Amino acid sequence: MRARLTPLHIVAALAALVAVTPLVYLVVRTGSAGWETVWEILARPRTLQLSVASLGLATAVAGTCIAVGVPLAWLLTRTALPGGRLWLVVAALPLAVPSYVAAYTWLAAFPGIRGFFPAWMVLSLVSLPYVVLPVAAVLSQVDPAFDEVARTLGDGPLRSFRRTTAPLLWPAAAAGGLLTALYTLSDFGAVSLLRFDTFTRVIYTSYRAAFDRTSAAVLSLVLVALALVFVLLERAMRSRHQQWRVGAGAARRAQRIPLGPWRWPALAGVIALFGLAVAFPGVMLVRLMLQSQRFEADPGAWLAATGNTVQAAGIGAIVALALALPIGVLAARHSDRVTKSIESAAFISHALPGVVVGLSLVYLGLSIAPALYQTLAMLGFAYAVLFLSNAIGSIRSATAQVSRNLEDVARTLGDRPTTTWWRVTARLSAPGILAGALLVLVTAMKELPATLMLRPTGFETLATEMWTFTTVGSFSQAAPYAFGLVVLAAIPAFLLARLTGRRS
Amino acid sequence: MIKAGGAIALAAVAVLGLSACSSGDGADPTQEAAEFVVYSGRSEELVGPLIEQFETATGVQTEVRYGDTAELAAQLLEEGENSPADVFFAQDAGALQVVQDEGLTTALPTAVVDKVPAKFRSADDQWVGTSGRARVIVYNTELVPADEVPKTVFELTDPKWEGQVGIAPTNASFQAFVTAMRVTVGEERTKQWLEGLIANDVQTFENNLAILDAVNAGAIEVGLANHYYWYEKAAEIGAENLKVRNAAFEAGDPGNLVNVAGVAILPTGADNPGSEQFVEFLLSDEAQQYFADVTAEYPLVKGVAARDDLPPLSQIDGPDLTLDQLADLRGTQDLLLQVGLL
């Protein structure tokens, strides 16, 4: 049976095409090498070994983030945890800690740590928000009526949760897990410092040590294949669950569950977790700063870098949102093959290391739009390609939560589909859409390799300034820029927490 | 909820507005086209002040794109003839050579580069070394008495150093050193040495600084690095707080190889008068003195001395080699791949 294609399909397909532009470059580079070279690179024993290592690490980090992130999101949104919504703000902050900064601070405290375990821990801590934020967004919107009906029908609280709330959470949790897995696949900072060999580390090595663009391109295509494994896995997990409300009217706000004596251990757990993820790197940076003999404050440079970061990441977030909206909405409302392919394609670039996306845009940018080369527009575009997938999942989950009946009513009253979306769906799914934009914003703020290649010459962001100092071993001078990132990230996080908590 | 949609729109307007306001800051390259663009693989923290001196001395308005040397080289290869850059100021000779091999360099004026010994520039004057850095062994003073520091790199495969040696195999200067070893002691012995290191549980790191940190913290006892990283570390936390020290191997050891940072003029910069002025400036006494004093490197132009606390260039008797002989980087990388270090 052929699926009926709507205009939305076409818009979303165009957006997905934009997102996969790096693949064009990779195929060109690989194609110019000839099969023999390609095969020789693929047949290296290291290639298989690294695939296993990368898959293993990504699975472990994603699994951990789901296992810890879902209960955490529940604690933060549905219970009377002391501190209330403040914790939701804090929950987004680990995203602002670049993985290499986190890794460096752990290494400074415990010299000699290396390998899988520390890499797993550091990456899990920094990517926890990928799961917590979307799950919290869904939890704060779930209609308590479901649970109440189940309870009336005789279900206990746990059984009711499993049968009513959990199915709604799964899509968000799986989507978050996917982002975590892809982020882990693409990470270079933490694994290189903590000396765990992954695919991405070897792709960097191809460029850095051998100036070998062919190997890097071939290996990047393998990485794309690994990413597809996770994309399909997530889809399989998600497809088992019904995803929309059918009841009439809007959902009511759920009551927060009193935790009684359990609130103190719960609070301790939450504090410990965020302490490790945010406070620990912060304290270590302060220590390194105090130790330093060459620390000089440069407020001018700091302010300029902060402004530049907001500007570049902001443009990136807007472009990403524009691309992610049609894809996310389509994925929430259709389940045909075309939709699935569009959605999967949009996620792939997220697994590519920044250096690969950067170089591909150097190549494509100069051949297609030389006038835009090394301008803010192109940098924003690069961010959108890299982080678009951060927005898709939460847009999809949030849209799926909006009852189709509401849309149908609007249509019956004569609204066109786009008007319906704007007047009904967009407003009800706004927290999810904003969560997506927030994720893009904070991850784009700390992006480094593509920024170095595509920013306007002389345009410094917090991440590039931080890099300037870390390459000469001066973490003290890098610290103010690291703090800048966390402070900047706190602003959108605060906005998100307000939106998430204010439903009525 | 209406407010939520509004908040998104508001944020969008705010960001776009911000872009509009700040494009007057000079960050917009289209507004004031830079006269002269440098791609610098050397950190702003190290060479930023020097480039300011260049601007003051010559009046050439300079824009610098800082980046990782190898990534900038890859970027230059992708950009080809469309590069906005005029010159490439690189941290190591290997990157310059790769750019040269792709035909993306132009001949430097002989009169200028003649100031630098032939040993430290490309055979056909396509790039020139601007400062030298020596390979050294770094050791932890609390764990290794000075008289027990290995005298030659070949000692590092001794069981005494099992699990205690740090190397950075992806690092350009480490690879240049392995090339030097292949030339001086032969392919077979180099391979044996590398395999010996692996059998001895050698610890691999991403870069020299990570090795220095690990040795300083006592996680490992010794490591192979470049000399000037110690000076950066000392500037950061004070020499008196460092437990790591540099040492040279005995005369003639491949472990004492001297590498260079250098500069090349790109085809896109061939017609820019700033390009030659920049190369000339980097080889001027003023700049050479800067490398000696500020970055603790070896000046390569006669008449400028290295700082007192460095053994003179003439005394770190490295392997007897010309840079031509070090050209086979590919062979070294194949060897490192073969033994499993890359």
Side-chain angles (χ1 to χ4, degrees), chain A residues 25 29 104 114 195 201 208-209 292-294 311 373-374 452-453 455 457 469 471 474 476-477, chain B residues 4 22 39 43 45 63 65-66 71 75 78-79 175 203-204 206 209 213 232 236 238 240 333:
Chain A
Y25 163 80
R29 274 278 158 268
Y104 189 87
R114 60 175 300 191
R195 299 193 278 146
R201 192 175 167 197
R208 288 198 169 163
S292 170
Q293 303 194 341
R294 60 174 159 178
Q311 199 180 334
Y373 187 57
Q374 292 179 350
L452 286 176
M453 285 180 190
R455 74 202 144 124
T457 299
F469 296 113
T471 49
S474 181
S476 59
Q477 295 183 87
Chain B
S22 57
Y39 273 17
S43 170
E45 175 70 358
E63 292 239 359
R65 167 171 295 268
Y66 293 99
E71 282 164 27
Q75 183 165 8
E78 291 300 351
E79 290 175 345
Q175 295 186 356
Q203 302 289 305
T204 57
E206 196 56 33
L209 268 173
D213 279 340
E232 285 171 13
E236 174 76 5
E240 67 283 5
Q333 286 160 357

Side-chain angles (χ1 to χ4, degrees), chain B residues 40 52 72 84 102 113 116-117 120 135 145 148 151 154 161 177-178 192-193 230-231 248 253 260 278 287 292 302 332:
Chain B
S40 172
E52 275 170 29
L72 281 175
E102 292 281 321
V113 296
V116 174
F120 298 126
R135 296 288 300 168
E148 280 181 32
K151 299 285 181 293
F154 296 101
W161 303 107
F177 143 72
V178 174
Q192 277 172 13
W193 180 73
W230 185 86
Y231 294 85
D253 195 276
V260 298
F278 188 65
K302 267 215 173 84
T332 295

Side-chain angles (χ1 to χ4, degrees), chain A residues 436-469:
Chain A
L438 162 77
L439 279 180
V440 177
L441 193 70
V442 271
T443 42
M445 284 200 265
K446 60 179 177 171
E447 205 286 333
L448 182 65
T451 310
L452 286 176
M453 285 180 190
L454 298 170
R455 74 202 144 124
T457 299
F459 179 92
E460 304 295 342
T461 67
L462 291 170
T464 64
E465 291 280 20
M466 206 158 77
W467 169 85
T468 295
F469 296 113

